[in-house]
Amino acid sequence: EEKSVSAGRRLKLALVGHDRIGIVREVSQVLARHAVNVEKLETHAASAPMSAETLFHAQAELAAGPSLDARALKAELERLSDDLMVDITLDETI
């Protein structure tokens, strides 16, 4: 019996922070622990306005099962964003 994709949940993740090695890997590991699939990922680095620092930007479209504990996922991403000193936002899309 084929499961309909609409039974799953769709999320959008956006991340902005100072560019450093391993950001995508760290976020991917958190998502994998929550059985969240990355369906689309776009990243770019750009100079921050009013400073010479490079900021890393990532936008991801995610898919998860209906049983996803979004609160636990958000809490873990918040801890990660504190560790990496980046801003991560996670929104459920319909």
Side-chain angles (χ1 to χ4, degrees), residues 6-91:
S6 61
R9 295 168 68 176
R10 317 219 28 105
L11 305 136
K12 251 193 171 60
L13 181 145
L15 180 151
V16 180
H18 295 297
D19 199 8
R20 59 182 287 249
I21 292 168
I23 291 176
V24 170
R25 186 189 66 229
E26 299 266 356
V27 172
S28 302
Q29 287 172 347
V30 170
L31 296 174
R33 279 199 290 278
H34 290 268
V36 175
N37 291 318
V38 177
E39 299 206 324
K40 188 174 174 193
L41 174 66
E42 292 172 4
T43 65
H44 69 276
S47 303
M50 302 186 295
S51 89
E53 291 183 288
T54 300
L55 287 182
F56 176 78
H57 298 257
Q59 286 87 34
E61 290 177 18
L62 312 172
S67 61
L68 172 71
D69 184 344
R71 188 175 292 154
L73 174 57
K74 277 189 174 173
E76 200 170 338
L77 286 171
E78 279 169 17
R79 281 198 299 277
L80 181 63
S81 70
D82 291 343
D83 290 347
L84 297 178
M85 301 205 310
V86 296
D87 287 322
I88 299 175
T89 53
L90 184 69
D91 297 299

